């Protein structure tokens, strides 16, 4: 029987899952594509490392050229991570006419255009479903299922590690550093977890989703990024008190042709679909002009969920090979990016300020909001108890990012304000 030979770059969390799925589901895969799939060679960094799947030693190498220049290998799966080496190996594989499947959002959000251009020239496929939201099919729906609609908003919990941490902080009141270790042990976190907790991992993903959903030439540099490291236990408790959960959201919005992209901790109202997404689960909310609200939900990280997306891409390449249409699907014309200014980005906000316990301070706070043209929705002054300062929580109606930044600058100059403790965007 005919056989498709695959080269695998990486045998870590995802690579191991890929080997397992190809082995376990071989019969089903064969039925779908009409031939056998064989992982012929696997690239690793450390050849001595113990592996949790059985692979014969002669299939493992530390030399990428053994895959790139092996004429029998037709498809290269890149699940090693990192940017420069992965880019080099992929571009050289494309030069050899090999099709690419990758789970690497860092790479696709920074060099995606270059890789897709090369693949077009070489009539090769490049698929990267696993790069966003692990096991959730979202890239193919955005590109294919929504092609008839005009998408205005994509908003998602697209980092499993941080959602796992925030869920534990909300449910168990634990400290963020302690939960991170658990997320790493479960294989959700990146090799360098600062990309997860700092918001960069989610930023890569929202850049990819916005490029595809808005057909716009945006990239990682267009995303304003804030991670979860400053979220305190108290913020989580105050959010709950108001009927919200704090979630790290990637948000892409388009009005007419103007776009905004951000990753930021956001207070999401408990009744919102995204508020109930727990643990390492991800969810992507897509609002289309014609379809209205939709949501895609599932496991966003981890060995087997991510590997299912990778192997599904492999099947797509194999089917294209059978039809002789590789490299014909990726071509698309992107519009020039047209980013919104802070005056055009609107949201509700939560602000927590620590102030001196003095006559008239509340009036001064309210006056600052008024002077910046911000309408207050609610104000709660917490009982002082044994603290030396007073805490005031304010929630606003819709206002611009420029206005909220101005009021915070004003607070920071007031004698009666000890500090602006927290500021969160709110989503109802
Ligand atoms: P990982 O566990 O750190 O595994 C990386 C693998 O690549 C290891 O086998 C490593 O070799 C090998 N490798 C790394 N750099 C190499 C180099 N320069 N030369 C040769 N081999 C190299 O990573 P992972 O979690 O599987 O993630 C892989 C990719 O999938 C990343 O792009 C990640 O962002 C993406 N992704 C991961 C998840 C997830 O849940 N983990 C989900 C979606 C997407 P050794 O084993 O010898 O060290
Ligand atoms: N580190 C990523 C996460 C893996 O936690 O979501 C999936 O891309």
């Amino acid at each position: 029987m005919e056989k498709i030979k695959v080269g695998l770059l990486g045998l870590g969390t995802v690579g191991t899952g890929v080997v397992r799925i190809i082995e376990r589901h071989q019969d089903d895969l064969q039925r779908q594509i009409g031939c056998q799939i064989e992982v012929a060679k696997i690239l690793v960094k450390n050849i001595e490392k113990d592996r949790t799947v059985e692979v014969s030693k002669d299939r493992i190498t530390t030399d990428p050229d053994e895959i790139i220049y092996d004429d029998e290998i037709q498809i290269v799966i890149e699940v090693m991570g990192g940017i420069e080496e992965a880019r080099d190996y992929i571009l050289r594989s494309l030069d050899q006419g090999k099709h690419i499947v990758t789970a690497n959002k860092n790479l696709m959000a920074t060099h995606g255009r270059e890789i897709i251009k090369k693949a077009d020239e070489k009539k090769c496929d490049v698929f990267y479903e696993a790069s966003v939201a692990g096991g959730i099919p979202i890239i193919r729906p955005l590109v294919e299922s929504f092609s008839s609609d005009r998408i205005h908003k994509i908003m998602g919990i697209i980092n499993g590690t941080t959602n796992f941490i925030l869920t534990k902080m909300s449910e168990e009141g634990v400290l963020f550093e302690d939960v991170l270790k658990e997320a790493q042990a479960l294989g959700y976190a990146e090799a360098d977890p600062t990309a997860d907790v700092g918001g960069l991992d989610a930023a890569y993903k929202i850049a990819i989703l916005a490029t595809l959903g808005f057909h716009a030439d945006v990239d990682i540099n267009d995303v304003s990024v804030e991670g979860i490291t400053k979220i305190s236990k108290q913020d989580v408790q105050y959010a709950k008190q108001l009927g919200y959960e704090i979630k790290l959201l990637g948000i892409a919005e388009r009005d007419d042709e103007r776009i905004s992209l951000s990753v930021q901790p956001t207070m999401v109202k408990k009744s919102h679909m995204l508020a109930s997404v727990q643990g390492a689960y991800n969810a992507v909310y897509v609002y289309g002009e014609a379809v209205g609200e939709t949501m895609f939900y599932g496991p966003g990280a981890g060995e087997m969920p991510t590997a299912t997306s990778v192997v599904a891409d492999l099947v797509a390449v194999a089917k294209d090979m059978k039809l002789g249409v590789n490299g014909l699907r990726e071509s698309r014309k992107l519009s020039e990016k047209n980013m919104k200014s802070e005056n055009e980005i609107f949201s509700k906000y939560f602000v927590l300020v620590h102030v001196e316990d003095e006559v008239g301070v509340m009036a001064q706070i309210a006056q600052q909001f008024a002077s910046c043209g911000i309408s207050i929705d609610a104000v709660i002054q917490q009982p002082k108890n044994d603290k030396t300062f007073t805490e005031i929580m304010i929630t606003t109606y819709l206002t611009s990012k420029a206005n909220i930044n101005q009021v915070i600058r004003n607070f920071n100059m007031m004698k009666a304000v000890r500090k602006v403790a927290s500021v969160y965007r709110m989503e109802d």
Side-chain angles (χ1 to χ4, degrees):
M1 181 188 253
E2 199 195 333
K3 197 186 263 186
I4 293 179
K5 287 197 177 183
V6 173
L8 187 62
L9 307 180
L11 187 60
T13 304
V14 184
T16 301
V18 168
V19 172
R20 278 194 225 283
I21 291 191
I22 291 176
E23 270 172 22
R24 285 185 199 168
H25 300 183
Q26 185 64 236
D27 291 349
D28 288 332
L29 296 173
Q30 274 189 36
R31 267 194 289 278
Q32 291 179 74
I33 59 180
C35 68
Q36 205 184 328
I37 292 182
E38 181 193 318
V39 179
K41 267 268 149 39
I42 305 173
L43 178 75
V44 296
K45 207 192 255 178
N46 177 2
I47 211 144
E48 303 301 332
K49 205 188 251 184
D50 284 338
R51 306 287 163 183
T52 56
V53 273
E54 235 176 81
V55 276
S56 54
K57 282 249 182 293
D58 60 319
R59 279 200 289 164
I60 298 196
T61 178
T62 53
D63 179 4
D65 290 356
E66 284 191 28
I67 292 175
I68 298 168
Y69 299 107
D70 181 333
D71 290 339
E72 292 193 346
I73 292 178
Q74 293 169 287
I75 304 172
V76 170
I77 299 179
E78 186 275 306
V79 283
M80 54 184 259
I83 296 186
E84 285 316 321
E85 279 167 309
R87 169 176 170 262
D88 174 42
Y89 300 165
I90 285 177
L91 289 175
R92 286 201 283 134
S93 298
L94 286 168
D95 272 330
Q96 298 305 308
K98 299 187 195 315
H99 308 293
I100 305 294
V101 172
T102 175
N104 194 331
K105 61 259 163 177
N106 308 31
L107 180 69
M108 291 311 288
T110 41
H111 297 294
R113 228 73 83 239
E114 180 191 18
I115 288 170
I116 288 166
K117 187 166 174 277
K118 165 85 76 179
D120 281 351
E121 283 164 21
K122 295 287 173 183
K123 294 278 171 287
C124 290
D125 281 340
V126 177
F127 293 139
Y128 46 102
E129 182 63 68
S131 66
V132 180
I136 308 176
I138 182 63
I139 288 186
R140 212 158 266 121
L142 270 185
V143 172
E144 293 176 8
S145 316
F146 288 118
S147 58
S148 58
D149 206 352
R150 214 181 135 68
I151 294 170
H152 287 284
K153 188 168 184 173
I154 304 169
M155 183 164 72
I157 294 173
I158 44 181
N159 182 269
T161 305
T162 47
N163 204 51
F164 182 79
I165 293 171
L166 291 174
T167 303
K168 291 256 177 180
M169 283 174 78
S170 172
E171 287 178 353
E172 298 168 28
V174 285
L175 281 174
F176 141 83
E177 296 83 359
D178 298 334
V179 201
L180 175 59
K181 290 193 190 87
E182 209 179 328
Q184 284 175 292
L186 289 165
Y188 306 144
E190 295 300 300
D192 175 5
T194 51
D196 293 297
V197 297
L200 191 60
D201 178 81
Y204 285 125
K205 294 169 181 169
I206 200 71
I208 292 174
L209 294 181
T211 304
L212 299 173
F214 301 157
H215 316 289
D217 194 9
V218 292
D219 64 34
I220 183 69
N221 300 311
D222 300 310
V223 188
S224 106
V225 188
E226 190 190 330
I228 65 163
T229 51
K230 289 193 206 136
I231 302 174
S232 67
K233 269 162 81 168
Q234 189 193 40
D235 290 343
V236 173
Q237 290 315 314
Y238 284 164
K240 279 188 152 183
Q241 203 175 313
L242 296 171
Y244 289 77
E245 291 285 349
I246 299 180
K247 296 288 184 191
L248 185 71
L249 295 190
I251 304 174
E253 287 175 303
R254 173 171 70 165
D255 296 302
D256 300 320
E257 286 311 319
R258 306 279 283 164
I259 291 172
S260 67
L261 300 179
S262 66
V263 169
Q264 58 194 308
T266 304
M267 285 194 181
V268 183
K269 198 166 196 164
K270 283 205 170 119
S271 54
H272 193 289
M273 290 183 272
L274 287 172
S276 55
V277 177
Q278 309 277 17
Y281 277 83
N282 280 194
V284 183
Y285 165 98
V286 180
Y287 181 82
E289 199 170 293
V291 72
E293 294 184 299
T294 62
M295 182 139 124
F296 299 78
Y297 171 84
E303 179 184 312
M304 296 307 268
T306 309
T308 57
S309 292
V310 172
V311 179
D313 277 351
L314 178 60
V315 169
V317 175
K319 285 181 175 172
D320 281 359
M321 284 166 70
K322 217 168 161 189
L323 294 170
V325 295
N326 300 94
L328 299 179
R329 289 203 284 192
E330 277 290 340
S331 298
R332 58 180 174 263
K333 210 165 165 358
L334 298 177
S335 58
E336 292 258 318
K337 67 181 160 206
N338 191 354
M339 304 307 290
K340 287 185 182 186
S341 72
E342 290 194 343
N343 285 309
E344 299 167 281
I345 302 170
F346 287 87
S347 177
K348 290 175 65 176
Y349 283 92
F350 165 96
V351 181
L352 175 67
V353 275
H354 293 180
V355 298
E356 304 298 344
D357 188 10
E358 290 169 2
V359 173
V361 171
M362 182 69 93
Q364 288 176 39
I365 296 287
Q367 175 52 38
Q368 287 301 341
F369 278 102
S371 71
C372 292
I374 302 172
S375 181
I376 290 173
D377 180 24
V379 180
I380 303 171
Q381 180 169 326
Q382 294 290 338
K384 194 173 165 195
N385 297 331
D386 53 356
K387 293 193 204 80
T388 59
F389 55 87
T390 295
E391 289 178 301
I392 301 179
M393 293 193 277
I394 305 105
T395 61
T396 74
Y397 287 109
L398 278 186
T399 188
S400 70
K401 195 171 174 183
N403 282 348
I404 206 77
N405 285 343
Q406 184 58 51
V407 87
I408 286 151
R409 280 195 293 275
N410 293 355
F411 284 153
N412 283 330
M413 288 190 295
M414 281 171 63
K415 252 181 88 190
V417 173
R418 289 236 189 137
K419 70 169 181 182
V420 178
S422 323
V423 181
Y424 289 96
R425 178 181 165 128
M426 300 176 91
E427 280 289 336
D428 285 359

